Amino acid sequence: MITLTQVTKVYQGARRPALHQVTATIEKGEFVFVVGEAGSGKSTLLKLVLKEVRPTLGTVTVNGRNLESLPRWKEPHFRRSIGYVPQRPLLIARHTVYENVAHALRVIGKTEAVCRRVVPEILELVGLGMKENRYPHELSAGEQQRVAVARSFANRPLVILADEPSSAVDPDTTIELMRLMDRINRTGTTLMVASTDAKLVSAMRRRVLEFEEGSLIRDQVRGVWRP
Ligand code: ADP
Ligand code: MG
């Protein structure tokens, strides 16, 4: 479902490649951790899959499509087919939890009737069924992150990319967040989660792609990670 073939990315003006000759295949329904120290290329990898960044060399395909051949006018539609959870949840402060999730559906043309049916289902899934009328500032950091996950999952994407989603939350919340990711993965959704949380990665025992200065140095099924 996602393949990277000999992908190198050199940002303009950079002294060394952010990613160097990376080759990996991620199958539909997999749960993959992308690990490595700060600056090792994790975010760049996720952005390549979103086509927010283009490879300097090599190819990236998503769902059998070489992203280089995806016309520019199709890019917004393509990006909306992928769920993206940023490092810090970017919620709309003046909107309730319900409205924040509904927004993700409205931008892809879903009707209010669909929102009224789907949003409560998704909020139930992330354990926020009781909080749909709260505002972001009335939620804990972990709850806000769950809203961000709910929003990324609202249109049932085939893939969710999460960039260090647990970096701003406490350990208990991290466990909750990962249980949620696990539940979403069990629905058949492919997950790529960038993380620097060695304890979490080691506890989950999922596939681990480890990067060091832009090179993929390890690809292990049910891996652990000790930086
Ligand atoms: P990570 O997410 O693992 O911290 P990144 O993918 O963000 O790593 O960064 C990998 C390398 O690329 C780092 O050296 C970083 O400074 C550099 N980099 C990231 N984004 C840019 C950019 N837009 N322009 C130039 N260099 C960048
Ligand atoms: Mg990063």
Side-chain angles (χ1 to χ4, degrees):
M1 115 146 293
I2 297 169
T3 63
L4 296 110
T5 311
Q6 291 283 315
V7 171
T8 293
K9 174 64 190 177
V10 185
Y11 287 105
Q12 207 164 9
R15 275 183 294 120
R16 63 165 182 86
L19 288 176
H20 182 63
Q21 293 183 354
V22 175
T23 296
T25 301
I26 293 152
E27 304 292 350
K28 184 174 174 347
E30 274 200 274
F31 187 138
V32 181
F33 279 114
V34 178
V35 306
E37 287 175 13
S40 59
K42 303 181 296 296
S43 298
T44 300
L45 183 78
L46 300 187
K47 287 176 190 163
L48 280 162
V49 176
L50 271 176
K51 209 187 173 187
E52 283 205 357
V53 156
R54 308 169 91 108
T56 309
L57 288 169
T59 53
V60 180
T61 70
V62 177
N63 257 333
R65 170 129 215 182
N66 182 344
L67 296 191
E68 211 45 52
S69 73
L70 182 75
R72 187 175 279 256
W73 65 273
K74 280 192 179 169
E75 286 177 11
H77 179 264
F78 166 74
R79 285 196 193 101
R80 287 194 295 263
S81 74
I82 295 182
Y84 179 65
V85 183
Q87 201 157 352
R88 273 164 220 288
L90 298 166
L91 304 180
I92 305 166
R94 64 178 193 285
H95 285 175
T96 62
V97 167
Y98 177 95
E99 289 295 323
N100 267 282
V101 178
H103 184 70
L105 291 167
R106 290 187 190 124
V107 296
I108 56 166
K110 299 294 180 196
T111 62
E112 289 310 305
V114 170
C115 291
R116 277 194 297 275
R117 179 171 54 79
V118 171
V119 176
E121 271 174 27
I122 303 245
L123 289 175
E124 203 58 50
L125 177 82
V126 303
L128 290 173
M130 309 292 283
K131 299 198 172 168
E132 63 174 46
N133 294 318
R134 299 276 189 98
Y135 287 88
H137 71 90
E138 297 171 323
L139 302 174
S140 69
E143 287 170 337
Q144 289 184 30
Q145 195 54 277
R146 269 145 65 194
V147 177
V149 173
R151 196 171 50 181
S152 75
F153 189 57
N155 60 344
R156 302 283 167 149
L158 293 168
V159 192
I160 292 183
L161 310 174
D163 200 349
E164 300 191 38
S166 67
S167 61
V169 300
D170 58 72
D172 284 350
T173 310
T174 300
I175 292 169
E176 235 172 78
L177 198 62
M178 283 304 133
R179 282 214 187 99
L180 170 58
M181 297 269 185
D182 200 50
R183 222 177 300 150
I184 287 176
N185 178 237
R186 280 166 205 277
T187 69
T189 312
T190 308
L191 273 166
M192 283 180 79
V193 181
S195 181
T196 50
D197 188 335
K199 253 198 197 141
L200 167 74
V201 172
S202 301
M204 294 285 286
R205 287 284 177 146
R206 298 303 190 121
R207 181 174 171 196
V208 170
L209 299 181
E210 180 175 354
F211 287 84
E212 196 177 273
E213 296 191 352
S215 294
L216 177 60
I217 58 164
R218 190 162 59 100
D219 179 353
Q220 189 176 15
V221 200
R222 282 202 284 280
V224 294
W225 183 46
R226 288 181 199 86

